[in-house]
């Protein structure tokens, strides 16, 4: 199927459907699909296209380079980018009609500079730190920054089109900071409007707030993880509870299947020892591919779950750089080349990225975004039945390079 014995199959129909579901959760707001970090590992360009087809009208990226890549790919939707350091290519961003966030006085100066050099008016979203304690201007410095921004607006250098912020505890909707941040945000919006800003979009909600907190949807919601069908609030509900379908299935072919005797130590440090004569299967994915070493099995306990031939097994022993091992059991029928599913939609009881996150002591975000560049992304579309051609290398190759 490809020259790499594993792949992340990304169903673009799931992304489309997830955006439709998110739009239905936030009927009064526009949807910005956050496609930073290669669309959370799903492939920037195909994922962005599917999100727009699903009804997103904005795309969001952390890095300017990611935003420029969207323009280079021909997308003309609104794009917001928000994380950069002094010396960033803001002239290029403004020239490419990309909305830029401003979170500090130096950033305002550099955006203004970039706009003058680009010879066009920049669209600016002022980022307010309403309590996350990360990026953004603190409320005590907001008025000065807005004053400066509105002076530049009067000169035609830029337009302040947005006020925005981000939650610290969106995944705990009843946490007291959620309400406190929403109040600070409302104050920031009121201040900007009282100073004469004509705001086009006020935005605060990530996936969790989009799904659980309609009071903060404002004009625009910014879901990321939910676009890819993973729950931002696993303690409150899985994807299906919110009308979401995980878009990525990570699968591999068994590279080696062999029988061994009892008492055989397996993989580095022999963290797993076969309890009796059995069959071992080698899965050709390891931590270089983003398989967390923390998902290893330990003495007496299997690691993260995988599905083989309808059976659920767990990682036996250590995850290595390129591979890990499964104990397929005595008399196993599997042969080299048989398919192993690491995670997917969870339908039919299969493991999910959330299961891997639990096994590795992390969150599903990290499982999908850390998938290595060595793993091909193969884009499929379950709404358009695949032909034999689609399954062969051409689609795989296009999928792998089109990210
Ligand atoms: C990543 C990010 C989002 C999306 O967050 P999810 O939890 O994935 O929905 C939204 N806004 C900002 C500022 C972000 O950095």
């Amino acid at each position: 199927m490809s020259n790499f014995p594993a792949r992340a199959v990304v169903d673009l129909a799931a992304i489309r459907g997830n955006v439709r579901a998110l739009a239905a959760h936030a009927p009064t707001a526009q949807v910005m699909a956050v496609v930073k970090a290669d669309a959370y590992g799903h492939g920037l360009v195909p994922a962005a296209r599917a999100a727009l087809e699903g009804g997103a009208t904005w795309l969001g990226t952390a890095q300017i380079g990611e935003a420029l890549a969207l323009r280079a790919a021909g997308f003309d939707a609104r794009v917001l980018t928000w994380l950069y350091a002094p010396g960033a290519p803001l002239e290029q961003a403004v020239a490419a009609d990309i909305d830029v966030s401003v979170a500090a006085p130096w950033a305002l100066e550099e955006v203004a500079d970039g706009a003058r050099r680009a010879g066009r008016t920049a669209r600016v979203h002022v980022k307010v730190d309403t309590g996350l304690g990360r990026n953004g201007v603190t409320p005590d410095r907001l008025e000065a920054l807005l004053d400066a921004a509105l002076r530049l607006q009067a000169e035609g250098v830029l337009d302040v089109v947005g006020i925005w912020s981000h939650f610290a505890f969106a995944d705990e909707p009843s946490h007291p900071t959620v309400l406190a941040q929403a109040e600070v945000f409302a104050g920031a919006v009121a201040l900007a409007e009282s100073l004469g800003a004509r705001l086009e979009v006020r935005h605060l909600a990530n996936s969790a707030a989009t799904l659980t907190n309609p009071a903060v949807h404002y004009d625009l919601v910014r879901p990321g993880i939910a676009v890819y069908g993973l729950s931002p609030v696993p303690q409150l509900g899985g994807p299906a509870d919110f009308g979401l379908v995980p878009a990525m299935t990570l699968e591999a072919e068994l590279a080696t299947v062999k029988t061994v005797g009892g008492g055989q130590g397996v993989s580095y440090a022999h963290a797993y020892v076969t309890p009796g004569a059995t069959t071992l299967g080698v899965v050709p994915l390891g931590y270089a591919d983003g398989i967390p070493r923390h998902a290893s099995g330990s003495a007496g306990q299997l690691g993260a779950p995988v599905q083989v031939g309808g059976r659920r097994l767990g990682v036996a022993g250590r995850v290595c750089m390129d591979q890990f091992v499964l104990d397929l059991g005595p008399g196993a029928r599997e042969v080299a080349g048989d398919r192993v599913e690491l995670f997917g939609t969870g339908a039919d009881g299969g493991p999910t990225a959330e299961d891997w996150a639990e096994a590795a002591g992390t969150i599903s975000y990290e499982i999908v975004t850390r998938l290595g560049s060595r793993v091909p992304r193969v884009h499929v579309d379950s709404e358009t039945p695949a032909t034999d051609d689609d399954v062969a290398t051409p689609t795989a190759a296009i999928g792998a390079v089109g990210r």
Side-chain angles (χ1 to χ4, degrees):
M1 184 167 179
S2 77
N3 58 8
F4 192 80
R7 65 209 61 80
V9 179
V10 175
D11 184 0
L12 299 172
I15 292 177
R16 232 182 267 128
N18 293 333
V19 173
R20 274 190 227 113
L22 287 157
H25 280 279
T28 60
Q30 297 184 71
V31 176
M32 173 190 292
V34 177
V35 294
K36 62 191 180 189
D38 198 28
Y40 289 49
H42 292 67
L44 176 68
V45 169
R49 185 176 300 122
L52 293 171
E53 287 166 359
T57 50
W58 289 70
L59 299 170
T61 70
Q63 302 290 344
I64 292 178
E66 301 173 313
L68 291 170
L70 289 168
R71 284 288 182 255
F75 293 109
D76 56 10
R78 290 289 284 275
V79 174
L80 173 65
T81 185
W82 57 74
L83 192 59
Y84 53 90
L90 287 159
E91 176 186 350
Q92 254 181 291
V94 175
D97 202 30
I98 292 163
D99 287 49
V100 291
S101 173
V102 162
W106 69 261
L108 183 66
E109 278 170 33
E110 293 207 7
V111 169
D113 232 50
R116 289 190 189 101
R117 278 182 283 127
R120 62 191 292 170
T121 306
R123 284 192 305 270
V124 165
H125 300 231
V126 173
K127 178 89 182 267
V128 185
D129 184 352
T130 55
L132 172 58
R134 202 175 68 179
N135 205 7
V137 60
T138 47
D140 58 319
R141 307 273 168 99
L142 177 62
E143 182 159 357
L145 186 70
L146 284 168
D147 275 339
L150 292 169
R151 276 198 301 277
L152 290 161
Q153 179 166 311
E155 293 169 25
V157 176
L158 54 82
D159 283 329
V160 177
V161 298
I163 295 282
W164 75 302
S165 190
H166 196 47
F167 283 117
F169 285 90
D171 54 339
E172 290 179 42
S174 54
H175 195 279
T177 59
V178 173
L179 194 56
Q181 282 194 256
E183 281 171 5
V184 174
F185 185 73
V189 166
L191 175 65
E193 287 171 344
S194 74
L195 294 174
R198 293 177 307 276
L199 300 175
E200 179 192 359
V201 283
R202 303 157 298 168
H203 48 112
L204 182 55
N206 61 358
S207 294
T210 302
L211 296 173
T212 66
N213 195 348
V216 298
H217 287 169
Y218 282 98
D219 310 300
L220 181 63
V221 293
R222 301 189 311 271
I225 196 74
V227 167
Y228 311 101
L230 299 174
S231 173
V233 285
Q235 79 287 9
L236 299 181
D241 296 310
F242 300 106
L244 306 172
V245 175
M248 182 190 288
T249 298
L250 183 62
E251 60 178 34
E253 276 95 48
L254 286 171
T256 294
V257 176
K258 66 182 180 194
T259 52
V260 298
Q264 172 67 55
V266 171
S267 190
Y268 292 131
H270 287 178
Y272 178 81
V273 178
T274 58
T278 190
T279 311
L280 299 179
V282 174
V283 180
L285 283 171
Y287 58 76
D289 304 301
I291 306 305
R293 192 166 175 279
H294 278 90
S296 296
S298 54
Q301 204 182 342
L302 294 171
V306 304
Q307 187 146 294
V308 184
R311 292 189 293 150
R312 190 181 273 227
L313 303 171
V315 175
R318 295 269 168 86
V319 172
C320 311
M321 187 184 296
D322 311 298
Q323 53 198 302
F324 65 86
V325 181
L326 298 173
D327 184 346
L328 298 167
R333 295 196 180 163
E334 281 79 18
V335 295
D338 280 0
R339 179 176 181 274
V340 179
E341 182 171 316
L342 284 80
F343 58 80
T345 62
D348 307 324
T352 62
E354 186 59 40
D355 293 331
W356 274 80
E358 273 169 36
T362 183
I363 54 178
S364 63
Y365 294 67
E366 194 176 355
I367 299 298
V368 290
T369 56
R370 289 188 73 167
L371 259 199
S373 55
R374 188 163 70 170
V375 181
R377 271 62 163 183
V378 177
H379 294 95
V380 300
D381 193 332
S382 62
E383 284 175 351
T384 322
T387 64
D388 283 348
D389 278 357
D390 288 336
V391 185
T393 13
T395 311
I398 291 163
V401 296
R403 335 185 256 117

